[in-house]
Amino acid sequence: MKDQDLFIKELIDLFPSLEEELLDEDYRASITFQMGSFKRFMQEAIAKNDGVKFDAMVNFITKNLPLVDKRVQNAIYLSFLGKLDFSENPHLKKRLEQHLGEAYTAIDNYSNSPVNDEVKNFLNK
């Protein structure tokens, strides 16, 4: 099993421009914050319609998802995948690997479910 440190090291090896933010003292201890940074990086590729960068990130996540510990998996699903917005370039969503695509759809459906709206309305009172 890969832990957070090895996963982040390999992510930085593939995308060196993420190093400063991912290893920042405020982010280093939190896989949630680190996946939030990676999400912003991926969101930039989506906004720019950069299929090459997008595919490289999808391949990295797809390859590593079964190899990382549960804590890192949860952060990938909730702090990365669940936060992506494909509204600018929806065709890129179709380029998610099957499992990631299914997970994205499940998270999106849950986030937009009527029950979730009821909870939001209750909390906003």
Side-chain angles (χ1 to χ4, degrees):
M1 279 269 129
K2 289 184 183 180
D3 65 3
Q4 174 183 343
D5 293 335
L6 181 55
F7 175 75
I8 294 299
K9 179 196 174 307
E10 291 178 0
L11 181 59
I12 291 168
D13 288 346
L14 188 59
F15 302 107
S17 63
L18 288 169
E19 181 174 13
E20 185 176 340
E21 190 170 357
L22 293 180
L23 297 182
D24 179 88
E25 67 182 60
D26 293 330
Y27 281 53
R28 176 177 236 139
S30 173
I31 188 63
T32 300
F33 289 164
Q34 289 173 321
M35 286 295 91
S37 293
F38 187 48
K39 176 262 175 196
R40 287 188 297 279
F41 189 68
M42 175 78 123
Q43 197 64 58
E44 183 179 298
I46 293 168
K48 292 180 178 178
N49 200 26
D50 186 341
V52 173
K53 187 187 280 187
F54 180 86
D55 289 344
M57 288 183 259
V58 168
N59 288 337
F60 177 81
I61 292 295
T62 301
K63 179 181 83 174
N64 281 282
L65 199 54
L67 304 176
V68 295
D69 62 38
K70 290 291 184 196
R71 200 167 68 76
V72 174
Q73 283 181 357
N74 288 341
I76 290 170
Y77 286 123
L78 300 176
S79 300
F80 172 72
L81 190 61
K83 304 291 184 184
L84 292 175
D85 177 5
F86 289 94
S87 59
E88 289 185 47
N89 287 302
H91 67 280
L92 286 175
K93 183 169 47 172
K94 296 175 185 165
R95 292 169 72 162
L96 289 172
E97 176 271 330
Q98 182 180 354
H99 176 76
L100 289 181
E102 290 170 357
Y104 177 84
T105 299
I107 293 166
D108 191 51
N109 288 343
Y110 175 79
S111 296
N112 294 314
S113 71
V115 172
N116 200 24
D117 289 341
E118 290 174 22
V119 171
K120 286 179 189 175
N121 290 336
F122 174 77
L123 293 175
N124 290 327
K125 286 184 181 183

